[in-house]
Amino acid sequence: MADTGEGKKEEAEYKRLHSFPLIRHTDMPDEMRVEAMELCVTACEKYATNNESAAKMIKEMMDKKFGSSWHVVIGEGFGFEITHEVKNLLYMFFGGSLAVCVWKCS
């Protein structure tokens, strides 16, 4: 039983150390990338236990700021293959293993 407590402690420490956003791939212009990244971090921190609400918040804010047709996926351990508009993709990690993919297609 002590092992599970130890494992959770190590996981919490890992998440604390890796709480910064890590961009895996993007083709967004710098200004849009910074705004989208900050929005993703804010949403993931605000809805730490509800990825669906975080994704909804990001999508709605991106639609308002940069026009409609934005899509957002947030989770752990998923793969994807998407078609997107050029200069409108952000794939990043936050909090260690939480992945966020934001893209626009119309």
Side-chain angles (χ1 to χ4, degrees), residues 26 32 44-45 58 68 82 87 92:
T26 187
M32 182 188 290
C44 289
E45 287 176 344
I58 294 167
S68 63
I82 59 170
K87 298 192 183 287
M92 63 178 271

Side-chain angles (χ1 to χ4, degrees), residues 26-77:
T26 187
D27 63 355
M28 289 181 171
D30 289 341
E31 217 173 279
M32 182 188 290
R33 176 185 50 82
V34 169
E35 285 192 45
M37 188 176 66
E38 288 175 354
L39 178 60
C40 290
V41 169
T42 302
C44 289
E45 287 176 344
K46 183 175 182 179
Y47 299 105
T49 58
N50 190 342
N51 292 342
E52 187 176 344
S53 294
K56 186 176 180 179
M57 177 185 164
I58 294 167
K59 184 220 180 327
E60 289 173 353
M61 295 300 288
M62 293 296 285
D63 283 347
K64 286 179 189 173
K65 183 81 175 176
F66 301 109
S68 63
S69 299
W70 285 92
H71 306 276
V72 181
V73 175
I74 300 176
E76 295 182 14

Side-chain angles (χ1 to χ4, degrees), residues 2 12 16-17 32 49-50 71 75 78-79 88 91 94-98:
R16 187 184 64 78
L17 288 173
M32 182 188 290
T49 58
N50 190 342
H71 306 276
F78 67 89
N88 287 291
Y91 178 47
F94 179 72
S97 60
L98 188 67

